[in-house]
C-alpha cells in the first residue's frame, strides 16, 4: 500500500512538545481546546433527528444539538483534520497498511469486538465526564482545571485495571 520506506516513530518528548504547540494554536485560533467527543454527540443527535425528528427535538440531551448543523461546529472540522492528518502521517511515514492489529491469542473478529466495546465505554464515559481524554484531560490539564487532573487519574487507573484483564489477548 505504501512505497516509501518505514520511518521510525517520533521521540515521545518531541511528539509531546508538538502536541502542546498544537493545543496552544487551537486555543489561540479557535478559543477552544482540543476535543472529540462533542463531534460524535452532534452526529448522534443529527442521526436521531433524521430517524425520529419529534423525539429528538423533545429529548433534553439531543434537542439542543439540533439547533445547528453539525458541520457548522468547529469540532467537526477538527475531527476531519485529525483524520486527514492521521492518514497523511501514516502514508508519509510508510506505515499505512490496512490490517487489524492483535495479539497472538486474539482473532481479528475478537479484536474488533474489543475495540468497539472499549470505544463505546470510552464514549459513554466521556459524556458522563463532560469531556474526552483530549478535551477534558489534555485541554483541562493545560488550563490547570482540577477536573482535568481528576479525569486523567481516573482514566489511567481504569486503563491499568483493564490492561490487567485483557493482557492475555496480547501475549
Amino acid at each position: 500500500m505504501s512505497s516509501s520506506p518505514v520511518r521510525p516513530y517520533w521521540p515521545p518528548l518531541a511528539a509531546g512538545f508538538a502536541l502542546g504547540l498544537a493545543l496552544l494554536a487551537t486555543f489561540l485560533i479557535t478559543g477552544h481546546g482540543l476535543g472529540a467527543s462533542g463531534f460524535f454527540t452532534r452526529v448522534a443527535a443529527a442521526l436521531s433527528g433524521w430517524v425520529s425528528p419529534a423525539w429528538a427535538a423533545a429529548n433534553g440531551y439531543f434537542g439542543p444539538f439540533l439547533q445547528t448543523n453539525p458541520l457548522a461546529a468547529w469540532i467537526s472540522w477538527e475531527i476531519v483534520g485529525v483524520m486527514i492528518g492521521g492518514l497523511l502521517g501514516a502514508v508519509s511515514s510508510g506505515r499505512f497498511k490496512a490490517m487489524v492489529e492483535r495479539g497472538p491469542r486474539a482473532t481479528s473478529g475478537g479484536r474488533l469486538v474489543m475495540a468497539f466495546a472499549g470505544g463505546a465505554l470510552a464514549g459513554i464515559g466521556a459524556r458522563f465526564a463532560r469531556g474526552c481524554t483530549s478535551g477534558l484531560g489534555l485541554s483541562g490539564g493545560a488550563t490547570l482545571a482540577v477536573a482535568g487532573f481528576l479525569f486523567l487519574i481516573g482514566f489511567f487507573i481504569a486503563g491499568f485495571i483493564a490492561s490487567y484483564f485483557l493482557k492475555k489477548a496480547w501475549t
Side-chain angles (χ1 to χ4, degrees):
M1 297 222 173
S2 174
S3 59
S4 61
V6 175
R7 295 189 310 196
Y9 292 113
W10 283 23
L13 290 176
F17 185 75
L19 181 58
L21 290 177
L23 178 60
L24 177 62
T26 304
F27 274 121
L28 294 174
I29 295 168
T30 69
H32 302 280
L34 295 171
S37 61
F39 166 74
F40 296 101
T41 303
R42 283 175 166 68
V43 169
L47 291 174
S48 297
W50 292 336
V51 172
S52 181
W55 176 85
N59 184 283
Y61 186 70
F62 286 142
F65 290 103
L66 296 174
Q67 305 304 316
T68 61
N69 181 338
L71 294 179
W74 67 272
I75 200 166
S76 298
W77 296 105
E78 174 192 343
I79 297 302
V80 170
V82 166
M83 290 189 293
I84 292 170
L87 177 63
L88 292 175
V91 170
S92 69
S93 69
R95 294 181 181 277
F96 183 81
K97 183 178 180 184
M99 60 183 277
V100 176
E101 290 193 30
R102 58 184 177 83
R105 296 184 192 175
T107 64
S108 293
R111 173 64 175 109
L112 292 173
V113 167
M114 285 194 301
F116 181 81
L121 287 173
I124 292 167
R127 295 321 306 157
F128 281 133
R130 298 191 48 86
C132 59
T133 52
S134 54
L136 185 56
L138 186 65
S139 299
T143 60
L144 302 179
V146 173
F149 291 107
L150 290 175
F151 174 82
L152 287 172
I153 290 167
F155 185 80
F156 277 101
I157 289 171
F160 284 126
I161 292 170
S163 69
Y164 175 79
F165 291 106
L166 296 173
K167 70 181 174 184
K168 289 185 291 185
W170 292 99
T171 56

